[in-house]
């Protein structure tokens, strides 16, 4: 059973890399199979279709971002900055996952769009709640700014806009 689970993980890792690099529409299950070292029909032992595979990979990537944000502990006056630093660190260690989550809202397939909306809403709600628990004034506004910055960081990463990324790095909260 462990070998089968290892194959599933390999498929998901390969799909993640390809989805992040080529996007949902240009990535095929044949490409994923080739990258994972399995046959294309073997993918369908685990996933009903490409959309199901994408959602599974998206969910795992989201969980990493969510867990990273929720694990940040810092005094209220340093919380936003600490969470921003954790996001930049995550961009370095799990770039493909972050890019995939941050670009998922562009997919027009109804199931993916709905799943992506739920993930973004959950992140927003939980970041807002974290800021409220820390006693930050205007917690919702700070969550809006924090998530907006995350999208801008991702955009600057994808488009290689180093000057914008540097500007973001030099700002506080």
């Amino acid at each position: 059973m462990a070998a089968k689970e290892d194959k599933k993980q390999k498929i998901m890792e390969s799909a993640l890399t390809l989805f992040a690099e080529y996007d949902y529409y240009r990535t095929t299950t044949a490409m994923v199979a080739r990258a994972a070292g399995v046959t294309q029909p073997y993918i369908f032992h685990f996933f009903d279709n490409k959309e199901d595979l994408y959602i599974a990979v998206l969910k795992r990537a989201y969980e990493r971002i969510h867990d990273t944000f929720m694990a940040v502990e810092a005094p209220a006056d340093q919380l936003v900055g600490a969470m921003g630093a954790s996001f930049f660190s995550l961009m370095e260690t799990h770039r493909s996952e972050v890019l995939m989550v941050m670009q998922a809202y562009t997919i027009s397939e109804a199931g993916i769009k709905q799943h992506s909306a739920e993930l973004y809403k959950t992140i927003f709600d939980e970041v807002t709640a974290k800021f409220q628990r820390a006693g930050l004034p205007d917690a919702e506004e700070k969550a809006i700014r924090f998530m907006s910055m995350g999208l801008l960081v991702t955009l600057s990463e994808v488009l290689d806009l180093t000057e914008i990324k540097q500007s973001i790095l030099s700002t506080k909260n």
Side-chain angles (χ1 to χ4, degrees), residues 51-145:
E51 185 175 316
D52 187 40
L53 171 61
Y54 186 89
I55 288 172
V57 173
L58 180 63
K59 183 176 185 264
R60 188 169 72 177
Y62 153 79
E63 287 170 353
R64 185 177 316 275
I65 293 171
H66 172 269
D67 293 350
T68 297
F69 287 158
M70 294 305 109
V72 172
E73 296 293 332
D77 64 331
Q78 297 172 19
L79 183 59
V80 175
M83 287 177 63
S86 73
F87 183 74
F88 275 104
S89 179
L90 198 59
M91 279 290 288
E92 290 185 17
T93 60
H94 294 87
R95 183 178 190 273
S96 293
E97 288 180 348
V98 173
L99 293 180
M100 188 177 164
V101 167
M102 294 301 195
Q103 296 173 22
Y105 67 88
T106 66
I107 308 298
S108 63
E109 310 309 313
I112 294 172
K113 192 171 195 162
Q114 177 184 349
H115 196 74
S116 183
E118 290 168 5
L119 296 178
Y120 271 95
K121 175 94 171 84
T122 300
I123 289 176
F124 177 76
D125 289 347
E126 293 197 17
V127 167
T128 301
K130 186 173 185 80
F131 290 171
Q132 287 170 337
R133 285 190 303 275
L136 293 176
D138 304 315
E140 187 171 327
E141 180 183 326
K142 282 187 173 38
I144 290 168
R145 290 186 63 209

Side-chain angles (χ1 to χ4, degrees), residues 7-65:
K7 288 286 189 187
K8 181 179 181 181
Q9 293 308 313
K10 181 66 176 161
I11 290 167
M12 289 180 68
E13 289 167 14
S14 298
L16 167 67
T17 301
L18 292 166
F19 286 138
E21 183 175 347
Y22 297 108
D23 75 37
Y24 175 77
Y25 295 106
R26 292 184 294 159
T27 299
T28 65
T29 55
M31 292 166 66
V32 174
R34 218 175 4 264
V38 300
T39 64
Q40 187 176 7
Y42 192 72
I43 291 174
F44 301 110
H45 284 298
F46 303 106
F47 307 98
D48 292 337
N49 51 43
K50 183 171 87 168
E51 185 175 316
D52 187 40
L53 171 61
Y54 186 89
I55 288 172
V57 173
L58 180 63
K59 183 176 185 264
R60 188 169 72 177
Y62 153 79
E63 287 170 353
R64 185 177 316 275
I65 293 171

